[in-house]
Amino acid sequence: MPPKGKGGKGGKGAASGSADAEKKEKAPKGGTAVKVRHILCEKHGKCMEAMEKLKAGVRFSEVASQYSEDKARQGGDLGWMTRGSMVGPFQEAAFALAVSSMDKPVYTDPPVKTKFGYHIIMVEGKK
C-alpha cells in the first residue's frame, strides 16, 4: 500500500481526505511547533475546579495563574514547543487541538493525564 498522500490513484473519497493527509505528512518534517498554554494540576479535583471556571467564562490566563502548579504560572504560557519536546499524551492533545484565542479558548476537555498530573491545554498558534 502506498503511503498516504504519495501518488496512488485518487479515488472518489481522496479529495476530502487528501488535505489532511498532506498536512499530517508535511508537519513532522517541518519541525512543527505549537504555541501552548496549559493549566497543570496534580489532583484531578483541582483540575476540574479550574475547568468549571473556564466554562463559566473566566479568562484562560487568569485560571492558569490561580490554579496551575508549575513554572508556567504567568498565564499558563509555555511558548512555542516543538514535536518531540513534550510528553506523549500532552503532545498528541496539543497537536490535535484547533488554534484559538484567549477570548474564545478551545481547550482539552476532559483534562489530559500525564506523569506530571492533569493538564487543560490550549493552543494559540501552529507553525
Side-chain angles (χ1 to χ4, degrees):
M1 191 156 116
K4 277 187 192 171
K6 297 259 192 217
K9 292 182 189 88
K12 275 188 180 172
S16 62
S18 64
D20 287 342
E22 281 175 32
K23 271 186 202 162
K24 280 188 183 122
E25 207 163 280
K26 219 165 37 180
K29 289 180 198 156
T32 321
V34 284
K35 188 166 193 277
V36 187
R37 281 184 188 270
H38 80 151
I39 299 166
L40 170 64
C41 301
E42 197 178 319
K43 301 274 187 262
H44 187 260
K46 186 172 181 184
C47 199
M48 294 319 285
E49 277 180 46
M51 183 74 77
E52 291 306 313
K53 294 268 188 192
L54 289 173
K55 287 179 179 174
V58 181
R59 272 178 86 80
F60 196 95
S61 57
E62 285 177 34
V63 178
S65 297
Q66 275 185 312
Y67 286 87
S68 197
E69 299 168 1
D70 74 333
K71 67 179 179 63
R73 281 183 174 253
Q74 63 277 25
D77 193 1
L78 295 174
W80 288 97
M81 309 246 333
T82 55
R83 199 180 284 274
S85 68
M86 301 167 265
V87 289
F90 187 100
Q91 177 173 288
E92 285 170 31
F95 280 96
L97 277 172
V99 173
S100 61
S101 66
M102 293 284 250
D103 301 325
K104 292 191 174 97
V106 175
Y107 45 82
T108 52
D109 184 4
V112 176
K113 173 126 177 64
T114 70
K115 63 183 179 182
F116 300 108
Y118 296 89
H119 305 260
I120 301 172
I121 306 164
M122 173 191 160
V123 173
E124 290 186 295
K126 288 186 182 183
K127 61 182 179 183

